[in-house]
mmCIF file of all heavy atoms in Angstrom:
data_model
loop_
_atom_site.group_PDB
_atom_site.id
_atom_site.type_symbol
_atom_site.label_atom_id
_atom_site.label_comp_id
_atom_site.label_asym_id
_atom_site.label_seq_id
_atom_site.Cartn_x
_atom_site.Cartn_y
_atom_site.Cartn_z
ATOM 1 N N GLN A 6 27.503 13.882 -38.654
ATOM 2 C CA GLN A 6 28.007 14.846 -37.685
ATOM 3 C C GLN A 6 26.948 15.145 -36.636
ATOM 4 O O GLN A 6 25.754 15.221 -36.943
ATOM 5 C CB GLN A 6 28.368 16.161 -38.381
ATOM 6 C CG GLN A 6 29.594 16.085 -39.242
ATOM 7 C CD GLN A 6 29.987 17.437 -39.796
ATOM 8 O OE1 GLN A 6 30.023 17.625 -41.006
ATOM 9 N NE2 GLN A 6 30.309 18.375 -38.905
ATOM 10 N N PRO A 8 26.560 17.763 -32.855
ATOM 11 C CA PRO A 8 25.150 18.055 -33.097
ATOM 12 C C PRO A 8 24.970 18.795 -34.423
ATOM 13 O O PRO A 8 25.930 19.255 -35.001
ATOM 14 C CB PRO A 8 24.813 18.974 -31.911
ATOM 15 C CG PRO A 8 26.096 19.708 -31.663
ATOM 16 C CD PRO A 8 27.195 18.719 -31.947
ATOM 17 N N THR A 13 26.289 28.238 -27.763
ATOM 18 C CA THR A 13 27.106 28.243 -26.555
ATOM 19 C C THR A 13 27.473 29.665 -26.174
ATOM 20 O O THR A 13 27.387 30.575 -27.006
ATOM 21 C CB THR A 13 28.377 27.402 -26.761
ATOM 22 O OG1 THR A 13 29.047 27.236 -25.514
ATOM 23 C CG2 THR A 13 29.333 28.084 -27.732
ATOM 24 N N GLY A 16 33.580 31.629 -24.356
ATOM 25 C CA GLY A 16 34.445 31.116 -23.313
ATOM 26 C C GLY A 16 34.199 29.656 -22.948
ATOM 27 O O GLY A 16 35.010 29.039 -22.260
ATOM 28 N N ILE A 20 32.564 20.554 -28.140
ATOM 29 C CA ILE A 20 33.074 19.385 -28.860
ATOM 30 C C ILE A 20 32.098 19.043 -29.975
ATOM 31 O O ILE A 20 30.910 18.826 -29.729
ATOM 32 C CB ILE A 20 33.256 18.168 -27.925
ATOM 33 C CG1 ILE A 20 34.292 18.488 -26.847
ATOM 34 C CG2 ILE A 20 33.687 16.939 -28.731
ATOM 35 C CD1 ILE A 20 34.484 17.378 -25.832
ATOM 36 N N HIS A 29 37.542 4.764 -44.585
ATOM 37 C CA HIS A 29 38.350 5.914 -44.969
ATOM 38 C C HIS A 29 39.503 6.128 -43.994
ATOM 39 O O HIS A 29 39.412 5.771 -42.807
ATOM 40 C CB HIS A 29 37.477 7.172 -45.047
ATOM 41 C CG HIS A 29 36.647 7.207 -46.281
ATOM 42 N ND1 HIS A 29 35.961 8.352 -46.685
ATOM 43 C CD2 HIS A 29 36.383 6.277 -47.225
ATOM 44 C CE1 HIS A 29 35.318 8.087 -47.809
ATOM 45 N NE2 HIS A 29 35.559 6.843 -48.154
ATOM 46 N N LEU A 30 40.579 6.698 -44.524
ATOM 47 C CA LEU A 30 41.806 6.804 -43.750
ATOM 48 C C LEU A 30 42.197 8.243 -43.421
ATOM 49 O O LEU A 30 42.980 8.480 -42.509
ATOM 50 C CB LEU A 30 42.961 6.159 -44.526
ATOM 51 C CG LEU A 30 42.753 4.684 -44.900
ATOM 52 C CD1 LEU A 30 43.919 4.204 -45.764
ATOM 53 C CD2 LEU A 30 42.629 3.810 -43.651
ATOM 54 N N ARG A 36 35.671 24.721 -41.988
ATOM 55 C CA ARG A 36 34.603 25.572 -41.461
ATOM 56 C C ARG A 36 34.169 26.570 -42.533
ATOM 57 O O ARG A 36 34.924 26.878 -43.465
ATOM 58 C CB ARG A 36 35.041 26.314 -40.196
ATOM 59 C CG ARG A 36 35.875 27.547 -40.455
ATOM 60 C CD ARG A 36 36.085 28.367 -39.218
ATOM 61 N NE ARG A 36 36.801 29.588 -39.549
ATOM 62 C CZ ARG A 36 37.322 30.408 -38.668
ATOM 63 N NH1 ARG A 36 37.205 30.147 -37.367
ATOM 64 N NH2 ARG A 36 37.951 31.504 -39.046
ATOM 65 N N GLY A 40 28.232 33.043 -45.373
ATOM 66 C CA GLY A 40 28.464 33.891 -46.541
ATOM 67 C C GLY A 40 29.891 33.889 -47.043
ATOM 68 O O GLY A 40 30.207 34.590 -48.001
ATOM 69 N N VAL A 67 41.965 18.077 -32.122
ATOM 70 C CA VAL A 67 41.206 16.985 -32.726
ATOM 71 C C VAL A 67 41.648 15.683 -32.094
ATOM 72 O O VAL A 67 42.764 15.547 -31.608
ATOM 73 C CB VAL A 67 41.372 16.905 -34.263
ATOM 74 C CG1 VAL A 67 40.654 18.045 -34.955
ATOM 75 C CG2 VAL A 67 42.834 16.848 -34.653
ATOM 76 N N GLY A 72 38.467 4.975 -32.683
ATOM 77 C CA GLY A 72 38.546 4.340 -33.987
ATOM 78 C C GLY A 72 37.363 4.583 -34.889
ATOM 79 O O GLY A 72 37.394 4.190 -36.056
ATOM 80 N N ILE A 79 36.874 22.888 -29.351
ATOM 81 C CA ILE A 79 37.272 24.291 -29.245
ATOM 82 C C ILE A 79 37.278 24.593 -27.759
ATOM 83 O O ILE A 79 36.228 24.517 -27.092
ATOM 84 C CB ILE A 79 36.311 25.226 -29.994
ATOM 85 C CG1 ILE A 79 36.121 24.753 -31.430
ATOM 86 C CG2 ILE A 79 36.864 26.653 -29.987
ATOM 87 C CD1 ILE A 79 35.081 25.559 -32.217
ATOM 88 N N ARG A 80 38.423 24.925 -27.235
ATOM 89 C CA ARG A 80 38.619 24.995 -25.771
ATOM 90 C C ARG A 80 37.871 26.164 -25.152
ATOM 91 O O ARG A 80 37.194 26.019 -24.162
ATOM 92 C CB ARG A 80 40.102 25.096 -25.460
ATOM 93 C CG ARG A 80 40.423 24.859 -23.992
ATOM 94 C CD ARG A 80 41.907 24.671 -23.766
ATOM 95 N NE ARG A 80 42.427 23.546 -24.521
ATOM 96 C CZ ARG A 80 43.374 23.638 -25.458
ATOM 97 N NH1 ARG A 80 43.932 24.791 -25.730
ATOM 98 N NH2 ARG A 80 43.785 22.574 -26.097
ATOM 99 N N THR A 82 35.523 29.138 -26.597
ATOM 100 C CA THR A 82 34.959 29.698 -27.833
ATOM 101 C C THR A 82 34.928 31.221 -27.817
ATOM 102 O O THR A 82 34.750 31.863 -26.777
ATOM 103 C CB THR A 82 33.532 29.182 -28.053
ATOM 104 O OG1 THR A 82 32.777 29.372 -26.846
ATOM 105 C CG2 THR A 82 33.541 27.709 -28.423
ATOM 106 N N LYS A 83 35.123 31.769 -29.019
ATOM 107 C CA LYS A 83 35.027 33.212 -29.228
ATOM 108 C C LYS A 83 33.862 33.473 -30.186
ATOM 109 O O LYS A 83 33.418 32.572 -30.892
ATOM 110 C CB LYS A 83 36.332 33.746 -29.843
ATOM 111 C CG LYS A 83 37.575 33.431 -29.005
ATOM 112 C CD LYS A 83 38.795 34.115 -29.568
ATOM 113 C CE LYS A 83 39.310 33.461 -30.820
ATOM 114 N NZ LYS A 83 39.963 32.171 -30.537
ATOM 115 N N ASP A 86 34.173 32.317 -33.698
ATOM 116 C CA ASP A 86 34.139 30.883 -33.993
ATOM 117 C C ASP A 86 32.777 30.445 -34.523
ATOM 118 O O ASP A 86 32.621 29.290 -34.951
ATOM 119 C CB ASP A 86 34.471 30.065 -32.732
ATOM 120 C CG ASP A 86 35.894 30.256 -32.267
ATOM 121 O OD1 ASP A 86 36.781 30.479 -33.122
ATOM 122 O OD2 ASP A 86 36.131 30.203 -31.037
ATOM 123 N N ALA A 88 30.181 29.502 -36.899
ATOM 124 C CA ALA A 88 30.340 29.051 -38.287
ATOM 125 C C ALA A 88 29.684 27.685 -38.429
ATOM 126 O O ALA A 88 29.269 27.064 -37.446
ATOM 127 C CB ALA A 88 31.818 28.940 -38.660
ATOM 128 N N PHE A 91 32.383 21.555 -40.950
ATOM 129 C CA PHE A 91 32.174 20.362 -41.755
ATOM 130 C C PHE A 91 33.290 19.363 -41.514
ATOM 131 O O PHE A 91 34.469 19.712 -41.561
ATOM 132 C CB PHE A 91 32.131 20.703 -43.245
ATOM 133 C CG PHE A 91 30.955 21.526 -43.652
ATOM 134 C CD1 PHE A 91 31.097 22.867 -43.950
ATOM 135 C CD2 PHE A 91 29.693 20.958 -43.750
ATOM 136 C CE1 PHE A 91 30.015 23.645 -44.323
ATOM 137 C CE2 PHE A 91 28.599 21.719 -44.123
ATOM 138 C CZ PHE A 91 28.761 23.061 -44.410
ATOM 139 N N ASP A 97 41.841 7.343 -49.577
ATOM 140 C CA ASP A 97 43.300 7.345 -49.572
ATOM 141 C C ASP A 97 43.807 8.590 -50.276
ATOM 142 O O ASP A 97 43.042 9.389 -50.807
ATOM 143 C CB ASP A 97 43.881 6.075 -50.188
ATOM 144 C CG ASP A 97 43.576 5.938 -51.675
ATOM 145 O OD1 ASP A 97 43.200 6.932 -52.317
ATOM 146 O OD2 ASP A 97 43.706 4.814 -52.191
ATOM 147 N N ARG A 98 45.111 8.771 -50.263
ATOM 148 C CA ARG A 98 45.711 9.992 -50.776
ATOM 149 C C ARG A 98 45.531 10.116 -52.293
ATOM 150 O O ARG A 98 45.381 11.199 -52.823
ATOM 151 C CB ARG A 98 47.203 9.995 -50.431
ATOM 152 C CG ARG A 98 47.856 11.334 -50.596
ATOM 153 C CD ARG A 98 49.308 11.243 -50.190
ATOM 154 N NE ARG A 98 49.988 12.497 -50.359
ATOM 155 C CZ ARG A 98 50.073 13.446 -49.435
ATOM 156 N NH1 ARG A 98 49.521 13.274 -48.261
ATOM 157 N NH2 ARG A 98 50.713 14.567 -49.677
ATOM 158 N N ALA A 100 42.976 8.934 -54.084
ATOM 159 C CA ALA A 100 41.571 9.234 -54.416
ATOM 160 C C ALA A 100 41.244 10.608 -53.884
ATOM 161 O O ALA A 100 41.160 10.803 -52.683
ATOM 162 C CB ALA A 100 40.655 8.178 -53.805
ATOM 163 N N LEU A 103 36.676 14.033 -51.463
ATOM 164 C CA LEU A 103 36.330 14.139 -50.059
ATOM 165 C C LEU A 103 34.831 14.007 -49.932
ATOM 166 O O LEU A 103 34.078 14.569 -50.729
ATOM 167 C CB LEU A 103 36.750 15.501 -49.483
ATOM 168 C CG LEU A 103 38.112 15.583 -48.810
ATOM 169 C CD1 LEU A 103 39.227 15.386 -49.811
ATOM 170 C CD2 LEU A 103 38.257 16.897 -48.078
ATOM 171 N N PHE A 105 31.755 14.880 -47.518
ATOM 172 C CA PHE A 105 31.464 15.802 -46.429
ATOM 173 C C PHE A 105 30.226 15.384 -45.650
ATOM 174 O O PHE A 105 29.273 14.837 -46.225
ATOM 175 C CB PHE A 105 31.238 17.214 -46.976
ATOM 176 C CG PHE A 105 32.504 17.911 -47.365
ATOM 177 C CD1 PHE A 105 33.091 17.678 -48.593
ATOM 178 C CD2 PHE A 105 33.113 18.802 -46.486
ATOM 179 C CE1 PHE A 105 34.274 18.317 -48.949
ATOM 180 C CE2 PHE A 105 34.290 19.446 -46.828
ATOM 181 C CZ PHE A 105 34.861 19.193 -48.064
ATOM 182 N N THR A 112 26.926 28.417 -32.896
ATOM 183 C CA THR A 112 26.607 29.819 -32.629
ATOM 184 C C THR A 112 27.163 30.175 -31.266
ATOM 185 O O THR A 112 26.796 29.566 -30.263
ATOM 186 C CB THR A 112 25.092 30.068 -32.650
ATOM 187 O OG1 THR A 112 24.573 29.673 -33.929
ATOM 188 C CG2 THR A 112 24.774 31.535 -32.404
#
Side-chain angles (χ1 to χ4, degrees):
Chain A
Q6 289 186 241
T13 190
I20 298 177
H29 284 192
L30 302 175
R36 80 170 185 191
V67 288
I79 308 175
R80 193 168 301 119
T82 50
K83 303 187 285 287
D86 293 328
F91 293 106
D97 66 17
R98 195 178 179 90
L103 266 67
F105 284 82
T112 302

